[in-house]
Amino acid sequence: MDGLEIDGGKPLQGDIIISGAKNAALPLLCLGLISDAPLILENVPELADTISMEGLLRHLGVDVTREGEIVTMRGGARRYDAPYDLVRKMRASVLVLGPLLARYGEARVSLPGGCAIGTRPVDLHVRAMQGLGAVVELADGYIQARAPGGLSGGRVVFPMVSVGATENALMAAALAKGPSELVNVAREPEIIDLANCLNAMGARITGHGTGTISVEGVDELHGATHAVISDRIEAGTFAIAAAMTGGDLTLQRTRARTLDALLMVLRETGATVTETDDTIRVVANGRPVAADITTDPFPGFPTDLQAQFMAMMCIADGSSRISETIFENRFMHVPELLRMGADIQVDGGIAMVRGREFLTPAPVMATDLRASVSLVLAALTIEGESQISRIYHLDRGYSRLEEKLGNCGAQLRRIKAS
Ligand code: EPZ
């Protein structure tokens, strides 16, 4: 497995162009199932996860072609089963459930299984499909869902906010017979992007971005061309990198409005943050000052930036209380940061971080996507060479990471596994 060697201690300076959002691209790709007409998606990042999703869509019979960051899909599905060996690699595969049910009235999707950050059940996805008239059984490790006469609009109230379940419900309701009301839904920018693309295909969706979405079902959807929104988590990752390396980075093709919670906290830590419509500039002002965060669904502090922020607090002046409320096991980066000399104590979903002036070089191991990048950020502050193994996790969510950081003064080198 590939590794990264990082020779840190240098400030990051320069410009980074932010790629399309992984967590918008994955549900948008699933729309290739919901219509036979050509759907052209632009700004689709080339990542292990998007490539996996394109492979699953081909397995289902969709004609998928990629030219750079433009993915064209046509023809719809010819099969309705998403097998375990494809789904286990990427839990977002469960997002084929809604479009398959809506368009073909049947779907057999493997239960995704857990991952490093938690058990990650799909009960809310199943309940949403049932709320729209599907008959769902869980058998042999699969979700077996049918709606022979098509889905029927209905009122689906989510007991807790779920990004993926909201996305499945939205795609299913778009072709259901009659109106649907989805209550206590996720409000992430990626939800808005999915709804906007569905509306461009002829769906009739309103309220996206609020806690309640209304959908008037239509008989069929046509093709469209849609550009994936910018990746706010990639942008947030680099914003934190600037603040913790004493750097000065300007992030291009990004939308500051989608990062308000992070930018507010970065200012609290002493960084200077300036925004335009599509850029964010972060200038460090010496050693960061410690600050507390609690992760929350959008517009709160994103759980996907918790590990990166913790890396910054490890070298901050003061103590920081980090509360992870979304996933039950999202502190896998802690043992690795401790190897680098960090002072962190975990009690359930709370981590107390006492900032140290410096961390120390150490070989560490990546465990999940965002934990991996938090180790990269920590290593970028350390004089001397650190090694990070199992960086295939990074390749799932960050395109051309070494190139982007290398262009801003970072010294890192990918080590091919022998
Ligand atoms: C999406 O995952 C993202 N992935 C995650 O990003 C992100 O961390 C998460 O939303 C929260 O923002 C994609 O968009 C592909 P949830 P998702 O359903 O949809 C529980 C990354 O690093 N839950 O909002 O799976 C669940 O266990 C990834 O890019 C149920 O109990 O997240 C969690 O505790 C990691 N039952 C909470 O809800 C369900 O049926 C929120 O999960 C579904 C979820």
Side-chain angles (χ1 to χ4, degrees):
M1 296 175 205
D2 290 4
L4 263 187
E5 262 178 16
I6 298 177
D7 187 359
K10 302 155 186 71
L12 294 177
Q13 291 171 331
D15 289 49
I16 297 180
I17 293 178
I18 301 301
S19 301
K22 167 179 84 79
N23 290 349
L26 292 173
L28 285 166
L29 285 166
C30 294
L31 294 180
L33 296 163
I34 210 162
S35 164
D36 292 351
L39 173 61
I40 300 167
L41 295 177
E42 299 167 339
N43 200 32
V44 183
E46 284 194 83
L47 301 165
D49 274 10
T50 48
I51 302 298
S52 292
M53 182 61 85
E54 290 158 39
L56 173 56
L57 294 171
R58 288 193 185 94
H59 165 83
L60 295 170
V62 180
D63 172 14
V64 183
T65 54
R66 177 186 269 268
E67 282 179 52
E69 297 193 328
I70 297 176
V71 175
T72 302
M73 294 174 286
R74 52 170 64 88
R78 300 282 173 274
R79 303 176 53 173
Y80 318 125
D81 71 306
Y84 177 62
D85 66 320
L86 293 177
V87 174
R88 70 182 173 79
K89 281 191 291 190
M90 185 189 55
R91 59 169 285 101
S93 309
V94 72
L95 295 174
V96 303
L97 177 64
L100 282 175
L101 260 183
R103 178 94 172 69
Y104 305 100
E106 67 174 286
R108 185 170 183 271
V109 180
S110 168
L111 287 166
C115 73
I117 62 177
T119 53
R120 304 190 72 183
V122 289
D123 56 310
L124 300 178
H125 298 246
V126 170
R127 283 173 56 173
M129 297 305 108
Q130 290 168 330
L132 296 172
V135 176
V136 184
E137 290 174 276
L138 298 183
D140 311 324
Y142 278 78
I143 303 167
Q144 312 202 36
R146 286 178 299 106
L151 293 172
S152 315
R155 178 175 156 85
V156 177
V157 181
F158 289 97
M160 65 185 288
V161 171
S162 161
V163 171
T166 298
E167 291 164 342
N168 253 330
L170 197 50
M171 294 187 279
L175 285 180
K177 292 181 182 60
S180 294
E181 189 181 41
L182 311 178
V183 183
N184 195 27
V185 293
R187 298 162 52 189
E188 270 69 4
E190 293 76 30
I191 304 288
I192 298 174
D193 202 33
L194 179 64
N196 288 341
C197 185
L198 276 163
N199 281 341
M201 297 171 76
R204 296 168 61 191
I205 299 167
T206 55
H208 36 300
T210 74
T212 298
I213 294 177
S214 299
V215 185
E216 276 298 329
V218 295
D219 294 335
E220 63 177 3
L221 295 169
H222 51 69
T225 297
H226 179 85
V228 178
I229 56 168
S230 171
D231 194 322
R232 61 193 170 99
I233 303 302
E234 184 191 31
T237 300
F238 291 131
I240 292 169
M244 63 192 283
T245 59
D248 177 352
L249 283 181
T250 300
L251 310 175
Q252 310 277 354
R253 288 195 216 155
T254 184
R255 292 160 59 233
R257 284 285 67 72
T258 63
L259 277 169
D260 279 340
L262 171 70
L263 301 186
M264 185 179 73
V265 168
L266 282 185
R267 291 186 176 108
E268 207 182 309
T269 67
T272 302
V273 180
T274 45
E275 313 156 15
T276 66
D277 281 351
D278 63 353
T279 65
I280 300 172
R281 183 179 177 191
V282 179
V283 182
N285 292 307
R287 186 182 176 194
V289 173
D292 298 341
I293 60 162
T294 297
T295 63
D296 228 9
F298 191 88
F301 192 97
T303 176
D304 291 349
L305 288 174
Q306 177 260 110
Q308 298 92 313
F309 188 78
M310 185 184 289
M312 181 161 90
M313 291 299 100
C314 289
I315 52 142
D317 181 4
S319 293
S320 163
R321 181 181 186 278
I322 295 177
S323 172
E324 171 56 62
T325 69
I326 305 293
F327 289 107
E328 70 269 25
N329 187 35
R330 203 165 196 177
F331 287 146
M332 303 284 282
H333 39 290
V334 170
E336 305 306 312
L337 290 169
L338 292 175
R339 288 175 52 76
M340 293 171 134
D343 180 348
I344 307 169
Q345 288 183 331
V346 170
D347 179 6
I350 309 286
M352 284 306 298
V353 184
R354 287 193 187 81
R356 312 289 295 270
E357 195 152 2
F358 301 103
L359 296 177
T360 47
V364 291
M365 185 176 78
T367 51
D368 62 87
L369 169 55
R370 307 303 175 181
S372 316
V373 84
S374 78
L375 301 178
V376 172
L377 298 188
L380 287 172
T381 69
I382 301 172
E383 297 273 353
E385 192 173 272
S386 299
Q387 294 88 22
I388 302 174
S389 61
R390 299 191 179 192
I391 59 158
Y392 60 86
H393 292 290
L394 276 177
D395 299 335
R396 297 190 52 180
Y398 291 92
S399 64
R400 299 183 286 102
L401 183 71
E402 297 110 274
E403 177 190 326
K404 291 177 178 175
L405 288 173
N407 290 342
C408 295
Q411 293 196 1
L412 30 72
R413 194 162 60 89
R414 183 174 288 243
I415 312 296
K416 284 285 176 203
S418 52

